[in-house]
C-alpha cells in the first residue's frame, strides 16, 4: 500500500551516527558507574582504611578473577556477538535464540563447577599466593573468597544476556549492570558495618554477591527478553553454534592476556610491600581506569557490535574507517586525561580517599602509584579499540598470543622495578607493559589493513601530545601554588587545587588554539 512504510524497511541511520549515539549512552552509564565505583572506594577507605585487613579483601578476589579468566568470562559478549550478528544478518532470529540456549547451558554448568572447585581449593591457593599472611589473615581471606566466589556465575551468564542486547543495538540496560553492582557493594559495606567494632570487609563482600545477582543477572535477563530473546531449552546439545563458540573462546581460555593479568601481577608483587601496599595499588589503578572507562570503554563497547556486523557482511573498508575514527578520539582524549591525572594525582587522591582510617601516608603512597598509572591511560585506551577490531574479524588468537607473550616478558620487569621503586615501580611496570602490548597490536593491525590508515591517528596524536604536556604542566604548577597557599596537606587545599588546575589546563588548550579538541574539523581520517 503506497504511503505506508514498514518499520523493518525504514532506512537506518548511518553506522557512524548509530555508533556515536551508542557511545554517548555507554559513556553516560560508564561515567555514573565509575563515579559510584569511586564512591565505593571512598566508603571502603573511610570504613576500613588501608592495612592488612583491606589487603585481605583485595586478595579475596584473586581466585574468583582467575576462574573468570579461565572460562574467558570477560569475553562472553565478545565471543557471542559475532555468532548472533551472523544470524541477524541472515534474518534468522530463531536460529540465534537456539544458538544462545545451546551455549548458555554448558557455560552456566562449567562456571558453577569451577566455583565449587574454588570453594574447596581456597585455603591452599591463598597460602600459595600470600606467603607472608599469618594464619589468621589466611582464615579471613578464605572466608571472604567464599562469599564473593558465587558472583562469578552471575557475571558470566549475565554477560551473555548483555551480548544479546548489544547485538540488537540496545545499550541502555547493559549500562545498568555496573551501576547496580556498585550500589550493592556500597549498601552492603555500610549497612553491615553499622555498630560494628571493629568494622570488617564482610559487608562489602556480601554486597558484591547481591549486586551481581541483581545488576548483572536479573536486570540483564529482563533486558535481553525485551530485546527479543526467547530461550529454547529444547535446543540440541550439539548445536553447531557451540562448536563455533568454542572455536572463538578457546584462545581466550588458554591464553592469559596482560590486559587481564596486570591487576593480578600487581596484587602478587604488592603483597611483598608494607601493609596497605596492595590497597594503594588498587585505589590508584581504579582511579586511572575512570577516564579509560569513560573515554575508551564507551567507544570500544559501542563500536564492537557495529564492527562485528560490518565484518560479517564483508564491509572491511568501512570497518577500518570506523575503527580508525574511534581510535583517534580515544588517543587524543586519553592524552589529555593522562596529563591531568599525573599533574593532579595528590589532590585527586586526597579528595577522594583521605578520611576515616585512610590517612596522609596512604594518600602519598596511592598518589605516587597514580602518577605512573596515569601515564599509561592512552595505551589502555587504544588497546580497548584495537582488540575489538581483531575480535570483530574473528581473530581471537592474535590478541591472546601477543598478550600472553607480553605477560611473560613483563614478569622480570615487575620484579626489577619493584626492587628499584617499590609500589611506584609496580605501577610503572604496568604502564610499560601495556604500552608495549598496545604498540605491537597496532603494528600488526596496520600491517594487515594498510599503514595509510595509521597516518590520521598519528597526526591527531602529534597535535594533542604537546598540548597535553603543556596543559599538564600548567595544571600541576597551579595546583601546587593553590595547595601551598591554603595548606599543603589540607583537604581545603586539595579541593581548591582541582578546579584551579583544571582551569589552567583548559586555558593552555584554548590559548594554544584548541586543536586538542578540533578533531571534527580533521577530515584526513
Amino acid at each position: 500500500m503506497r504511503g505506508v512504510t514498514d518499520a523493518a524497511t525504514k532506512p537506518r541511520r548511518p553506522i557512524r551516527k548509530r555508533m556515536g549515539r551508542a557511545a554517548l549512552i555507554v559513556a553516560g552509564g560508564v561515567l555514573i558507574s565509575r563515579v559510584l565505583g569511586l564512591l565505593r572506594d571512598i566508603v571502603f577507605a573511610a570504613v576500613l582504611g588501608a592495612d592488612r585487613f583491606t589487603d585481605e579483601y583485595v586478595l579475596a578476589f584473586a581466585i574468583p578473577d582467575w576462574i573468570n579468566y579461565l572460562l574467558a568470562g570477560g569475553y562472553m559478549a565478545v565471543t557471542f556477538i559475532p555468532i548472533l550478528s551472523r544470524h541477524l544478518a541472515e534474518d534468522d532470529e530463531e536460529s540465534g535464540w537456539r544458538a544462545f540456549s545451546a551455549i548458555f547451558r554448558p557455560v552456566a554448568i562449567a562456571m558453577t563447577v569451577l566455583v565449587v572447585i574454588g570453594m574447596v581449593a581456597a585455603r591452599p591457593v591463598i597460602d600459595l599466593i600470600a606467603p607472608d599472611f599469618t594464619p589468621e589473615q589466611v582464615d579471613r581471606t578464605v572466608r571472604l573468597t567464599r562469599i564473593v566466589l558465587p558472583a562469578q556465575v552471575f557475571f558470566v551468564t549475565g554477560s551473555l544476556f548483555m551480548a544479546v542486547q548489544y547485538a540488537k543495538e540496545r545499550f541502555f540496560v547493559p549500562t545498568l549492570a555496573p551501576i547496580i553492582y556498585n550500589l550493592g557493594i556500597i549498601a552492603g559495606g555500610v549497612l553491615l558495618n553499622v555498630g560494628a567494632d571493629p568494622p570488617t570487609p564482610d559487608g562489602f563482600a556480601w554486597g558484591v554477591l547481591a549486586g551481581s545477582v541483581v545488576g548483572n543477572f536479573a536486570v540483564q535477563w529482563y533486558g535481553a527478553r525485551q530485546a527479543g530473546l526467547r530461550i529454547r531449552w529444547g535446543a540440541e546439545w550439539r548445536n553447531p553454534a557451540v562448536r563455533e563458540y568454542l572455536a572463538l573462546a578457546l584462545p581466550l581460555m588458554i591464553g592469559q592476556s596482560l590486559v587481564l593479568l596486570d591487576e593480578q601481577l600487581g596484587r602478587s608483587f604488592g603483597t611483598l610491600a608494607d601493609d596497605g601496599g596492595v590497597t594503594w595499588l588498587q585505589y590508584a589503578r581504579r582511579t586511572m581506569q575512570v577516564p579509560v572507562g569513560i573515554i575508551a570503554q564507551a567507544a570500544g563497547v559501542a563500536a564492537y557490535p557495529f564492527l562485528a556486523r560490518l565484518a560479517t557482511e564483508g564491509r572491511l573498508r568501512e570497518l577500518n574507517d570506523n575503527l580508525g575514527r574511534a581510535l583517534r578520539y580515544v588517543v587524543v582524549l586519553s592524552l589529555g586525561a593522562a596529563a591531568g591525572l599525573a599533574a593532579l594525582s595528590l589532590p585527586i587522591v586526597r579528595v577522594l580517599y583521605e578520611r576515616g582510617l585512610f590517612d596522609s601516608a596512604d594518600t602519598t603512597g596511592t598518589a605516587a602509584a597514580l602518577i605512573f598509572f596515569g601515564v599509561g591511560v592512552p595505551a589502555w585506551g587504544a588497546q580497548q579499540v584495537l582488540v575489538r577490531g581483531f575480535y570483530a574479524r574473528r581473530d581471537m588468537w592474535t590478541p591472546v598470543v601477543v598478550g600472553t607473550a607480553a605477560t611473560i616478558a613483563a614478569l622480570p620487569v615487575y620484579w626489577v622495578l619493584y626492587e628499584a621503586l617499590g609500589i611506584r615501580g609496580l605501577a610503572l611496570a604496568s604502564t610499560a607493559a601495556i604500552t608495549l602490548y598496545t604498540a605491537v597490536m597496532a603494528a600488526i593491525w596496520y600491517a594487515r589493513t594498510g599503514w595509510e590508515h595509521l597516518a590520521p591517528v598519528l597526526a591527531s596524536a602529534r597535535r594533542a601530545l604537546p598540548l597535553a604536556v603543556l596543559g599538564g604542566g600548567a595544571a600541576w604548577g597551579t595546583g601546587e601554588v593553590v595547595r601551598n597557599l591554603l595548606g599543603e596537606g589540607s583537604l581545603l587545599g586539595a579541593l581548591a587545587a582541582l578546579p584551579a588546575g583544571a582551569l589552567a589546563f583548559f586555558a593552555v588548550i584554548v590559548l594554544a588554539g584548541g586543536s586538542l579538541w578540533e578533531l571534527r574539523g580533521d577530515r584526513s581520517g
Side-chain angles (χ1 to χ4, degrees):
M1 184 175 178
R2 191 172 295 183
V4 177
T5 303
D6 185 77
T9 62
K10 286 182 180 179
R12 307 187 74 186
R13 294 180 179 178
I15 283 182
R16 180 178 178 179
K17 291 185 177 180
R18 283 152 50 203
M19 281 178 56
R21 180 175 178 273
L24 287 175
I25 294 172
V26 177
V30 170
L31 175 60
I32 296 171
S33 67
R34 296 289 179 170
V35 169
L36 286 173
L38 287 174
L39 178 60
R40 173 197 67 201
D41 289 344
I42 290 169
V43 172
F44 187 87
V47 172
L48 299 172
D51 57 21
R52 63 185 184 277
F53 298 111
T54 59
D55 287 352
E56 293 161 12
Y57 176 80
V58 174
L59 262 294
F61 288 86
I63 295 175
D65 287 350
W66 276 104
I67 289 176
N68 192 288
Y69 300 157
L70 182 63
L71 204 60
Y75 291 104
M76 288 293 162
V78 166
T79 48
F80 184 66
I81 285 174
I83 297 173
L84 184 55
S85 293
R86 176 170 55 81
H87 290 296
L88 295 178
E90 296 170 355
D91 198 22
D92 187 7
E93 277 196 6
E94 177 59 28
S95 293
W97 305 146
R98 297 187 72 83
F100 175 93
S101 305
I103 291 169
F104 184 89
R105 283 180 308 207
V107 166
I109 292 170
M111 182 54 78
T112 302
V113 170
L114 287 173
V115 164
V116 172
I117 294 172
M119 293 277 197
V120 175
R123 184 171 300 279
V125 172
I126 297 300
D127 278 330
L128 179 65
I129 65 176
D132 292 342
F133 272 17
T134 65
E136 292 77 15
Q137 285 183 285
V138 172
D139 288 342
R140 289 191 293 265
T141 306
V142 169
R143 184 183 70 250
L144 293 170
T145 298
R146 289 171 175 165
I147 294 173
V148 301
L149 256 172
Q152 299 306 312
V153 176
F154 302 103
F155 285 135
V156 168
T157 53
S159 66
L160 286 173
F161 294 136
M162 293 185 201
V164 170
Q165 297 171 76
Y166 289 142
K168 296 295 289 288
E169 298 183 16
R170 297 192 176 201
F171 295 88
F172 175 71
V173 174
T175 65
L176 298 179
I179 294 173
I180 296 172
Y181 174 68
N182 282 317
L183 287 173
I185 297 174
I186 294 169
V190 172
L191 294 177
L192 295 186
N193 274 305
V194 173
D197 187 21
T200 71
D202 292 52
F204 293 95
W206 284 112
V208 167
L209 181 57
S212 68
V213 172
V214 178
N216 292 80
F217 184 83
V219 171
Q220 301 314 315
W221 172 81
Y222 171 79
R225 291 281 297 179
Q226 293 298 108
L229 172 65
R230 297 295 179 265
I231 299 179
R232 307 302 190 212
W233 295 118
E236 61 273 23
W237 285 81
R238 294 187 177 182
N239 189 299
V242 176
R243 293 192 297 273
E244 186 179 3
Y245 173 82
L246 288 175
L248 293 173
L250 184 62
L252 306 174
M253 293 178 182
I254 66 176
Q256 296 299 321
S257 170
L258 175 71
V259 177
L260 295 176
L261 295 182
D262 173 72
E263 188 171 6
Q264 291 284 8
L265 290 173
R267 286 174 182 165
S268 299
F269 283 99
T271 59
L272 303 175
D274 295 335
D275 289 343
V278 174
T279 309
W280 295 346
L281 282 173
Q282 175 172 275
Y283 287 153
R285 193 177 191 279
R286 286 182 176 174
T287 305
M288 175 270 291
Q289 289 290 344
V290 171
V292 172
I294 296 171
I295 297 168
Q297 183 182 340
V301 169
Y304 182 61
F306 299 97
L307 299 179
R309 189 69 173 261
L310 290 171
T312 298
E313 296 172 357
R315 297 156 63 185
L316 299 183
R317 182 172 183 82
E318 289 183 64
L319 186 156
N320 294 336
D321 290 344
N322 283 286
L323 183 140
R325 187 175 293 111
L327 188 60
R328 289 167 54 214
Y329 275 94
V330 166
V331 168
V332 168
L333 295 177
S334 295
L335 284 168
L341 278 180
L344 300 172
S345 61
L346 193 64
I348 287 172
V349 174
R350 176 156 287 136
V351 168
L352 291 178
Y353 305 116
E354 191 177 309
R355 56 188 55 82
L357 295 178
F358 195 97
D359 58 24
S360 59
D362 296 321
T363 293
T364 301
T366 303
L370 180 57
I371 292 173
F372 292 103
F373 273 131
V375 176
V377 168
W380 280 105
Q383 65 84 23
Q384 290 257 5
V385 177
L386 281 169
V387 295
R388 283 174 169 82
F390 287 93
Y391 295 151
R393 300 182 69 167
R394 300 194 173 204
D395 179 1
M396 307 298 185
W397 280 107
T398 298
V400 168
V401 170
V402 174
T404 302
T407 303
I408 295 171
L411 288 173
V413 176
Y414 275 83
W415 178 258
V416 170
L417 290 179
Y418 170 72
E419 287 291 313
L421 298 171
I423 292 298
R424 293 174 299 164
L426 294 178
L428 180 59
S430 170
T431 291
I434 196 64
T435 300
L436 175 62
Y437 169 74
T438 304
V440 173
M441 291 295 295
I444 294 172
W445 176 264
Y446 288 109
R448 293 178 181 177
T449 62
W451 292 102
E452 66 276 9
H453 297 293
L454 179 60
V457 178
L458 293 178
S460 297
R462 281 196 301 270
R463 287 195 304 273
L465 180 59
L467 289 173
V469 172
L470 290 172
W476 176 81
T478 303
E480 287 298 294
V481 169
V482 171
R483 287 200 313 117
N484 288 328
L485 288 174
L486 298 179
E488 185 177 354
S490 70
L491 178 60
L492 177 61
L495 282 169
L498 290 181
L503 286 173
F505 182 92
F506 286 107
V508 168
I509 302 304
V510 172
L511 291 174
S515 59
L516 181 60
W517 315 111
E518 288 180 354
L519 285 179
R520 291 184 65 86
D522 177 10
R523 304 299 182 186
S524 60

